[in-house]
Amino acid sequence: LWAGAFLTFLFVRRHGLHRAAISRVLRIASSSSQRRRLDTVCARHPSLAGLRGRVFIVEHATEALRTVGIFRPVVEISSEILDDLDDRALLGALLHEAEHLRTYDPLRYLLGSVCLSLNPLARLLRTELGRWILAREVACDRAAVQSGAEPLSLAAAILVAARPNRPARPEPVACLA
């Protein structure tokens, strides 16, 4: 038991998971108009009222919307996607992420990764872990709809989140012609 706990500690320490990915992005000030809009959408729905202080608007995020943190997870939403979503799509996306928060999915994903890293036959189980993670996403979508999200609005939020943030810019390349 102690050896497993020690190996888990080393894994978490090695991969920097003891610090949430929050430190890599910039949080926007709470006085912004985006923040007021987000607070209004959360205040209107009883399932989201408990998220106060756990939803952050960020800049320079690698993902449009995500739940991060191990023991006290928070939701990070990029300022870019916030402008692209209407209130109904935003509500659906937040209800989806609220389900990840409620079930501590970041911790569960970490434990799955730790188990794979400790297992000598991990290559046989990696696809199963991927399927389980996909099933969790579907379960969070279902919970969001059951909590009051409109299915088409949630689908719109998923499509907006899946889009690349910005069009790719051509990189300057030096070459001989």
Side-chain angles (χ1 to χ4, degrees):
L1 179 68
W2 287 107
F6 179 71
L7 288 173
T8 301
F9 171 77
L10 289 178
F11 179 84
V12 168
R13 193 81 183 152
R14 178 176 172 223
H15 293 287
L17 297 172
H18 61 288
R19 285 177 255 128
I22 298 168
S23 62
R24 293 185 216 129
V25 294
L26 297 174
R27 290 185 181 164
I28 293 178
S30 60
S31 63
S32 72
S33 61
Q34 286 183 327
R35 179 82 242 172
R36 286 189 296 273
R37 177 177 170 236
L38 185 61
D39 289 342
T40 302
V41 170
C42 288
R44 285 186 195 151
H45 199 279
S47 296
L48 299 177
L51 291 182
R52 186 164 178 84
R54 296 183 72 183
V55 179
F56 297 98
I57 302 170
V58 296
E59 291 180 343
H60 311 300
T62 57
E63 296 167 6
L65 186 68
R66 65 183 182 172
T67 302
V68 295
I70 306 285
F71 300 112
R72 182 151 165 73
V74 297
V75 174
E76 292 181 344
I77 182 167
S78 78
S79 60
E80 294 85 12
I81 193 176
L82 196 55
D83 291 334
D84 293 342
L85 296 176
D86 66 5
D87 286 352
R88 291 179 304 187
L90 178 60
L91 174 67
L94 289 172
L95 287 170
H96 172 97
E97 294 302 321
E99 181 66 13
H100 282 302
L101 282 175
R102 190 183 69 74
T103 57
Y104 290 91
D105 280 342
L107 176 62
R108 295 166 85 183
Y109 295 170
L110 171 67
L111 293 175
S113 295
V114 168
C115 290
L116 280 182
S117 69
L118 298 175
N119 188 339
L121 299 174
R123 62 184 163 78
L124 300 175
L125 300 174
R126 191 161 280 116
T127 57
E128 291 303 315
L129 180 62
R131 287 183 185 138
W132 179 78
I133 289 172
L134 182 60
R136 281 298 310 141
E137 292 298 323
V138 171
C140 289
D141 289 341
R142 184 180 315 115
V145 170
Q146 289 172 344
S147 295
E150 297 175 14
L152 293 178
S153 296
L154 178 60
I158 291 169
L159 289 175
V160 169
R163 276 193 313 220
N165 287 351
R166 295 172 204 88
R169 293 184 199 155
E171 297 283 332
V173 178
C175 63
L176 296 174

